[in-house]
Amino acid sequence: MSVIYLLLTISIVVALVFFAAFIISVRSGQYDDSYTPSVRMLFEDEVVKNTTIEPNTKIKKSTQLNKKQKL
Amino acid sequence: MSKCYHCGDDCNITAIVFDDKNFCCNGCKTVYEIFQSNDLTYYYDLQSGAGTTPLAIEGKYDFLTSNTIAERLIEFDDGTVQIVNLFIPDIHCSSCIWVLENLKKLHPGITNSQVDFPKKTVRVTFKGELVSLKELVILLARIGYEPYISLEDYDKGKSKIDRSLLYKLGIAGFAFGNIMFLSFPEYFEVGGFWLDQYKGLFRWLMFAFSLPVVFYAGSDYLISAYKGLRSGLLNIDVPIALGILVLFTRSSFEIFFDLGSGFFDSLTGLIFFLLVGRFFQQKTYSFLSFERDYKSYFPIAVTRLGKKKKEETVQIYAIKSGDRLLIRNEELIPVDGILLTEKAHIDYSFVTGESEPVEKISGDKVFAGGRQCNGAIEIETLKSVSQSYLTQLWSNSVFQKDKSTAFQTLTDSIGKRFTIAVLTIAIIAASFWMFQDSSKVLNVFTAVLIIACPCAIALAAPFTLGNMLRIYGRKKFYLKDSSVIEQLALIDTAIFDKTGTITTTQSSSISYEGMELSVEEESLLKNTLRASNHPLSRSLYALLKEHNIETLDDYKEYTGKGVQGVKDKSDVKVGSADFVGHQQLSDYNSTSVHVSTNDSYKGCFVFHNNYREGVSEVFKEMGRHMDLAVISGDNTGEKTRLEKLLPKLTPLYFNQKPTDKLEFISELQANDKKVLMVGDGLNDAGALAQSNVGLAISENINVFSPACDGILDATKFKYLNNYILASKKAMKIIKLCFVLSLMYNVVGLYFAVTGQLEPVIAAILMPLSSISIVAFATLATNVIGKKLK
């Protein structure tokens, strides 16, 4: 039944990996600002510059949802 | 009326149409042009009318070309790439984030920019060869995001963010989870072959996991208890530290001698819950600062006029008395001095809260902290920065004291009685077992200390007050930390500043005294005022009825006196009493503008402060349960109006200097009063720091307010009493939580005293009591919050 040693090792190693991930993310400052990234991800991706079409008329419809969103 | 496409303000008749869009001014139009030509119009799609009108900035940032100043502001510099973190008060919506993070489109020298919305800062990485710091700041100002650079930025070193609580929470949570998982098999004592085989390994693993929890994550409690004991105080951390130490030694002992599995699950759970409470309590409004002194108002550098009128930028601390300074429009006067230019309009709203600019003429003394608002002026300094009238206030020892450490919280005062009670029970129980069964003595003694560990008590205050802090925050009442709520509940005296606190800076009302003006006269008056730029003329102009715009035959402005307009042989003079030929009564203290037509005196317009909505109600309600007083730096001009407005016998004090206000508060405190100071300007800073709770009233939360314990949005002033009452209710909730948690303790103590405390019981009781307390505190405070306006 020595498999229990293996299982135990694996479980603790997995836990340690997540723990390390947490420490690294705190250290890199990911928890310093927990608000701005939530807004940033809602921005439209950049429309690749197109010389003929006005980009703002294109985007307008798709961003109707965000438009009213007051912060 | 059309709205400005850029800033969303109403466009007046003078709307500027550009690209089929309306703009209220050229500034807004320029920003739009910049955005449009750089492919940034998505800014307007995110949120309409989001922009801010850029202000004139000519010459304002010249000091940034000085290397010594720029070096202090730049965070990182490797010769080619620089990083700077700028505070921009105007950041307010998603459009702001988007455009500021796309700065690289506006200038090739900018490589990257990142916004921290809660702190309202933007961190810009740029190449020094392509764009200087000054150019970067001007670029930001031109698009309506002017960074706020103050003396404070110059003085502070590189600040380090303290993330230790997050690490501790992570470690405690990690160890708690793993220990729970390892101790689970033993809870049921099924006693199988396999379990016995691996029991030792499981236990030693738990021991290993608990080490960092006790000695790192829980270290704050041990240290605090040690400090408390050394200064002869039994704070709440003493029984907690006692519980932690007893839990750890007994558990280790059990494992070393193979007596049992120990209480490692309860131990780590306890520390984890306590840290969660601490984390929850730590709500901070990072965009607000409660520690401001004059440094956050003052500029870093000013322009000094050297020999032959040569302009040079000089750091504020380098100003000596006798220097000649050039103060540009909208700049702050950094030191006391004598005005050399013919006249100046100085806005002392930073200092006194009074928004009406004061007129000064050549030779008058001007004080530090005033903002020049009518063109550039020259002054000759009398003192250095730290010796000026206003800044001297900060040399008072009250600014060095930390208020919160001196205050004993309710939890800490319970801690003392609690510790004594628990130790007594433990000793009695142990001595009882001494005679019954001496083998159980140590077991019972430690069990009592373990089960009585006041985890739930220690959690009651953080969760109640932490949640209250959030509720207040949603109501635009921002407090520095949770201990302010406790202090607020104890207040029995409230002192109010007048100007800017109970009066509003937004508008003043004007009343007319004297002979009535005919329609023609009023029309002439209005047309005369139209041409004048004096702030009083502007306010009066806005008040008078609409009249046709007529061209005057003659118009003259007499500096420091008034204006004169002539039309169809009738003339009107508006201005000071002397100017219109009227003997002013000497006891007249209010600001007034006199009018005469065709050299006959007509009357005067008196400017009154407008009191905030609900001032009488607030005073009436608060007067029921505390003493009130008004203390003002102004003259007695408003006395009769105030007396009418406020409840009878409310003491009113006038002509009080900033230090008088401070001493007034400390005298009250010497008589055992718990004083709430409500103020707004820098001249209240001393009183705010001295009082038990200092609240600053702010018309605009993003604009600076002096150091204080809380900032209240001006629109919520009328609910001030409700907020104070709510704080009292919050304290009642904490007391109820104490009762609840004592009931759990009684149940636990039954098991402990009778010597039947199993690890599994502790492991159930500890989280159960903690979670139910947390749930109760959160629910009850939310009920209070619902009723709050």
Side-chain angles (χ1 to χ4, degrees), chain A residues 18 46 50 58 64:
Chain A
F18 279 103
E46 288 293 311
N50 198 327
K58 250 177 126 183
Q64 290 281 308

Side-chain angles (χ1 to χ4, degrees), chain B residues 433-663:
Chain B
W433 282 101
M434 190 94 80
F435 301 105
Q436 294 287 318
D437 180 357
S438 56
S439 67
K440 275 190 167 178
V441 171
L442 213 59
N443 180 357
V444 167
F445 186 75
T446 50
V448 169
L449 293 181
I450 288 170
I451 205 70
C453 185
C455 179
I457 288 185
L459 283 176
F463 276 91
T464 313
L465 300 179
N467 202 26
M468 231 24 228
L469 212 61
R470 284 170 173 75
I471 291 167
Y472 280 145
R474 281 201 288 274
K475 314 283 175 200
K476 296 186 181 172
F477 180 33
Y478 309 94
L479 295 177
K480 187 161 88 179
D481 55 45
S482 56
S483 76
V484 177
I485 301 178
E486 278 203 67
Q487 302 241 36
L488 197 60
L490 298 172
I491 290 299
D492 56 12
T493 311
I495 310 297
F496 292 83
D497 171 54
K498 186 177 74 74
T499 318
T501 304
I502 56 177
T503 66
T504 149
T505 53
Q506 300 289 16
S507 65
S508 53
S509 65
I510 303 170
S511 68
Y512 179 70
E513 290 167 18
M515 277 180 280
E516 211 171 308
L517 296 169
S518 68
V519 181
E520 290 81 35
E521 283 169 337
E522 206 177 296
S523 164
L524 178 60
L525 177 63
K526 177 124 182 167
N527 279 299
T528 308
L529 290 171
R530 185 196 307 280
S532 168
N533 250 334
H534 191 282
L536 289 178
S537 310
R538 304 307 322 158
S539 328
L540 194 55
Y541 179 80
L543 174 100
L544 292 170
K545 280 193 282 289
E546 284 295 326
H547 285 282
N548 293 329
I549 299 174
E550 289 171 41
T551 339
L552 298 168
D553 296 342
D554 191 20
Y555 169 81
K556 267 189 199 134
E557 190 159 354
Y558 299 91
T559 309
K561 290 173 184 164
V563 289
Q564 184 179 21
V566 183
K567 164 97 186 160
D568 297 339
K569 283 183 191 132
S570 57
D571 81 326
V572 66
K573 278 179 165 181
V574 200
S576 67
D578 290 342
F579 177 66
V580 299
H582 177 67
Q583 286 301 100
Q584 191 175 14
L585 299 168
S586 55
D587 63 334
Y588 218 77
N589 281 320
S590 312
T591 316
S592 48
V593 173
H594 299 261
V595 185
S596 73
T597 57
N598 299 325
D599 284 333
S600 67
Y601 183 70
K602 286 288 174 186
C604 64
F605 290 93
V606 183
F607 288 75
H608 296 288
N609 287 318
N610 243 1
Y611 290 91
R612 285 193 198 287
E613 194 194 339
V615 166
S616 327
E617 287 77 21
V618 167
F619 270 73
K620 212 155 76 193
E621 285 165 20
M622 285 177 70
R624 287 195 198 120
H625 56 100
M626 56 179 84
D627 296 331
L628 302 173
V630 172
I631 188 162
S632 169
D634 293 355
N635 55 41
T636 50
E638 287 278 310
K639 196 174 176 192
T640 37
R641 278 191 77 208
L642 258 178
E643 276 169 349
K644 259 184 236 158
L645 200 68
L646 303 182
K648 281 200 180 61
L649 297 174
T650 308
L652 306 170
Y653 301 90
F654 293 96
N655 299 316
Q656 302 288 316
K657 290 199 200 75
T659 40
D660 295 340
K661 292 186 178 183
L662 196 161
E663 272 155 29

Side-chain angles (χ1 to χ4, degrees), chain B residues 227-296:
Chain B
K227 278 187 184 158
L229 282 177
R230 259 207 359 195
S231 54
L233 273 172
L234 282 173
N235 55 22
I236 192 72
D237 289 336
V238 173
I240 290 176
L242 200 65
I244 291 174
L245 287 177
V246 170
L247 268 167
F248 182 68
T249 34
R250 175 162 165 186
S251 306
S252 313
F253 183 80
E254 282 188 8
I255 288 185
F256 281 132
F257 298 97
D258 202 21
L259 300 168
S261 59
F263 297 84
F264 289 116
D265 44 356
S266 304
L267 170 65
T268 46
L270 166 80
I271 294 174
F272 178 65
F273 283 124
L274 287 172
L275 289 173
V276 169
R278 193 170 272 203
F279 182 72
F280 189 76
Q281 193 179 21
Q282 205 190 36
K283 164 83 188 172
T284 49
Y285 302 102
S286 34
F287 64 99
L288 296 174
S289 168
F290 296 99
E291 311 294 347
R292 291 203 174 99
D293 58 14
Y294 68 93
K295 282 181 189 159
S296 33

Side-chain angles (χ1 to χ4, degrees), chain A residues 1 4 8 19 22 26-27 32-33 35-36 40 43-44 46 49 55-56 63 66-67 69-71, chain B residues 39 41-42 45-47 93-94 101 105 114-118 161 163 167 170-171 174 194 198 201:
Chain A
M1 237 357 223
I4 205 149
L8 210 57
F19 180 64
F22 172 75
V26 173
R27 183 153 294 189
D32 294 348
D33 176 10
Y35 181 81
T36 324
R40 196 175 290 141
F43 294 143
E44 290 289 322
E46 288 293 311
K49 230 185 194 166
N56 62 340
T63 50
N66 304 356
K67 215 173 174 179
Q69 190 183 46
K70 265 248 152 108
L71 297 170
Chain B
D39 209 7
T41 44
Y42 178 51
D45 299 329
L46 274 172
Q47 194 161 329
C93 67
S94 48
E101 299 204 334
K105 284 188 178 178
Q114 196 174 5
V115 175
D116 185 328
F117 189 82
I161 316 158
R163 302 191 183 113
Y167 290 130
I171 286 170
F174 165 74
W194 295 114
Y198 296 107
L201 174 70

